């Protein structure tokens, strides 16, 4: 966790410094809460290449489902052979069934590092990474809007006497519901819009359907024990994932999916609004070239005397009476040509 402590604390302090310069109270909970949101944005931006890899892997897995079904029919009686052929199919296609889990798996250590950094700063003012003891105390005891402690959670909320802090419970419950809803919406969006019909059956589809309900419930049950600061991180991360996935599915959907059909309809409507169809666009963009003869006509070979004669005379030579026509000198006969010249 030590390297993660330094990374997280460096990003947190950087955002906290920025919000302090902008006029927020450095000891207030709002500046630290916004710093956690800024930390989330930095981490998710760094994970964009992995997200692209996840999208490609998920798309390849969907497109390979018909071939997987064929392997199941062929090797359904031999599980070991089926597993070997399936992994070979994935390898030949250049995809990895575990690549779709990479963004979540890489975020979990960061999630728990932030959880420990916040909880230990709140309980014992213990600094980690670049946090000093003073900054750790500010971070752990910060209160949002002057009332809601950033380290408070739904169950172990701070109390005023014997009465639980209702504000902490309400805010924590709202964040837990938001985290659960965004997780469910993200998974549902992927299955409903970016999966072909043939990929909605089979073991991979069954696994996705199970995760559709298991993950939100697991996060919801565990979220009631998370501090408000950690819930801010996770909810912001889910909102980023949902928006990023919506953009990818809308603009680059997998072929044969409802999202692909919707994109084609939008393209047709856009072309109709501009007053032309797809064929008109092609015709206007690439006009048909002029027809030219495929071969060039070569001029006829002429004798030296014909070349000396003007073009008009060659076009309409004078007619001569029969018997008086003078024979034309053959090409290369210099004697006759010199006589004529004289």
């Amino acid at each position: 966790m030590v390297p993660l402590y330094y990374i997280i604390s460096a990003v947190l302090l950087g955002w906290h410094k920025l919000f302090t310069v902008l006029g927020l109270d450095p000891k207030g909970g709002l500046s630290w809460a916004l710093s956690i949101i800024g930390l989330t944005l930095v981490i998710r931006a760094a994970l964009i290449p992995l997200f692209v890899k996840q999208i490609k892997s998920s798309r390849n897995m969907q497109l390979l489902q018909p071939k997987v079904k064929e392997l199941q029919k062929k090797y359904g009686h031999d599980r070991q052979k089926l597993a070997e052929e399936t992994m070979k199919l994935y390898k030949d296609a250049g995809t990895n069934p575990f690549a779709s889990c990479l963004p979540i798996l890489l975020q979990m250590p960061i999630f728990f590092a932030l959880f420990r950094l916040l909880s230990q700063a709140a309980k014992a003012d213990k600094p980690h990474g670049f946090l000093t003891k003073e900054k750790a105390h500010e971070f752990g005891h910060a209160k949002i809007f002057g009332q809601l402690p950033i380290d408070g959670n739904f169950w172990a909320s701070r109390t005023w006497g014997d009465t639980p802090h209702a504000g902490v419970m309400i805010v924590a419950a709202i964040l837990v519901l938001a985290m659960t809803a965004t997780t469910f919406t993200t998974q549902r969006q992927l299955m409903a819009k970016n999966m072909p019909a043939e990929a909605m059956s089979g073991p991979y589809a069954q696994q996705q359907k199970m995760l559709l309900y298991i993950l939100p419930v697991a996060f919801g049950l565990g979220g009631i024990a998370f501090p408000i600061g950690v819930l801010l991180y996770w909810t912001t991360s889910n909102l980023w994932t949902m928006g990023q996935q919506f953009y990818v599915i809308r603009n680059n959907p997998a072929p044969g999916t409802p999202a692909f059909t919707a994109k084609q309809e939008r393209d047709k409507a856009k072309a109709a609004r501009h007053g032309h169809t797809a064929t008109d666009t092609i015709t206007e963009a690439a006009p048909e070239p002029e027809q030219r003869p495929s071969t060039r006509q070569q001029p006829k070979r002429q004798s030296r005397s014909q070349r000396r004669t003007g073009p008009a005379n060659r076009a309409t030579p004078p007619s001569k009476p029969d018997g008086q026509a003078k024979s034309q000198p053959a090409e290369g006969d210099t004697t006759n040509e010199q006589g004529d010249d004289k």
Side-chain angles (χ1 to χ4, degrees):
M1 288 290 184
V2 174
L4 291 178
Y5 288 150
Y6 279 97
I7 294 173
I8 292 174
S9 61
V11 178
L12 274 175
L13 290 174
W15 283 102
H16 186 261
K17 183 67 175 178
L18 175 63
F19 292 125
T20 301
V21 171
L22 293 177
L24 294 180
D25 183 8
K27 297 182 179 180
L30 185 58
S31 60
W32 286 108
L34 293 176
S35 299
I36 292 175
I37 295 176
L39 169 69
T40 310
L41 299 180
V42 170
I43 292 174
R44 292 313 308 267
L47 292 178
I48 286 178
L50 287 179
F51 178 80
V52 174
K53 187 175 182 180
Q54 175 194 11
I55 290 293
K56 291 181 179 180
S57 177
S58 299
R59 178 173 297 180
N60 290 337
M61 292 285 291
Q62 296 164 15
L63 297 178
L64 288 176
Q65 288 309 300
K67 295 184 180 180
V68 172
K69 290 182 179 179
E70 295 178 2
L71 293 177
Q72 291 173 354
K73 293 179 181 179
K74 187 175 181 180
Y75 303 105
H77 59 282
D78 189 350
R79 285 195 167 188
Q80 182 178 358
K81 185 66 175 178
L82 175 61
E84 293 176 357
E85 292 296 328
T86 304
M87 294 306 297
K88 182 181 178 181
L89 176 64
Y90 292 151
K91 184 178 180 180
D92 294 341
T95 186
N96 186 353
F98 303 104
S100 59
C101 303
L102 283 177
I104 295 179
L105 292 177
L106 289 179
Q107 282 191 88
M108 294 308 294
I110 300 172
F111 180 80
F112 287 114
L114 178 63
F115 177 83
R116 291 188 61 183
L117 190 144
L118 178 57
S119 61
Q120 293 185 11
K123 293 177 181 178
D125 296 340
K126 186 176 181 180
H128 287 287
F130 293 106
L131 285 175
T132 61
K133 191 170 183 178
E134 181 184 357
K135 289 295 182 182
H137 178 80
E138 291 180 5
F139 180 49
H141 296 83
K143 293 183 179 181
I144 303 175
F145 306 119
Q147 295 182 351
L148 305 177
I150 199 171
D151 69 313
N153 58 52
F154 185 85
W155 286 129
S157 60
R158 299 287 180 87
T159 59
W160 291 344
D162 296 330
T163 305
H165 197 319
V168 174
M169 297 182 70
I170 293 173
V171 172
I174 292 174
L175 289 176
V176 169
L177 291 176
M179 181 179 64
T180 305
T182 51
T183 302
F184 178 83
T185 304
T186 302
Q187 295 294 323
R188 180 64 179 171
Q189 184 185 46
L190 180 64
M191 294 184 62
K193 295 185 178 181
N194 206 38
M195 277 195 177
E198 58 271 12
M200 295 303 294
S201 61
Y204 179 74
Q206 296 299 324
Q207 178 186 5
Q208 293 295 318
K209 290 178 182 179
M210 290 176 61
L211 292 176
L212 177 64
Y213 298 99
I214 291 176
L215 285 179
V217 172
F219 289 142
L221 293 177
I224 57 179
F226 295 153
I228 290 179
V230 178
L231 290 176
L232 278 174
Y233 170 86
W234 200 251
T235 304
T236 306
S237 179
N238 283 357
L239 290 172
W240 175 290
T241 302
M242 187 169 63
Q244 190 171 350
Q245 185 170 272
F246 175 80
Y247 176 82
V248 172
I249 292 176
R250 179 179 174 83
N251 295 280
N252 192 20
T257 61
F260 186 80
T261 304
K263 186 177 185 302
Q264 287 182 323
E265 293 177 355
R266 289 195 305 270
D267 293 342
K268 291 180 181 178
K270 184 178 180 180
R273 286 195 301 269
H274 287 79
H276 59 266
T277 61
T279 55
D280 295 337
T281 305
I282 296 174
T283 304
E284 294 174 2
E288 187 176 351
E290 298 180 358
Q291 297 292 335
R292 295 183 178 182
S294 57
T295 57
R296 184 178 178 182
Q297 187 177 4
Q298 299 294 331
K300 294 182 179 181
R301 190 173 181 180
Q302 299 177 348
S303 63
R304 187 172 181 180
S305 59
Q306 288 175 336
R307 288 194 299 270
R308 290 184 175 183
T309 308
N313 296 333
R314 286 202 308 267
T316 55
S319 57
K320 295 182 180 181
D322 295 342
Q324 296 182 3
K326 187 177 181 181
S327 61
Q328 295 292 337
E331 186 177 357
D333 192 352
T334 56
T335 306
N336 294 334
E337 290 179 358
Q338 291 174 358
D340 293 339
D341 293 338
K342 290 179 181 179

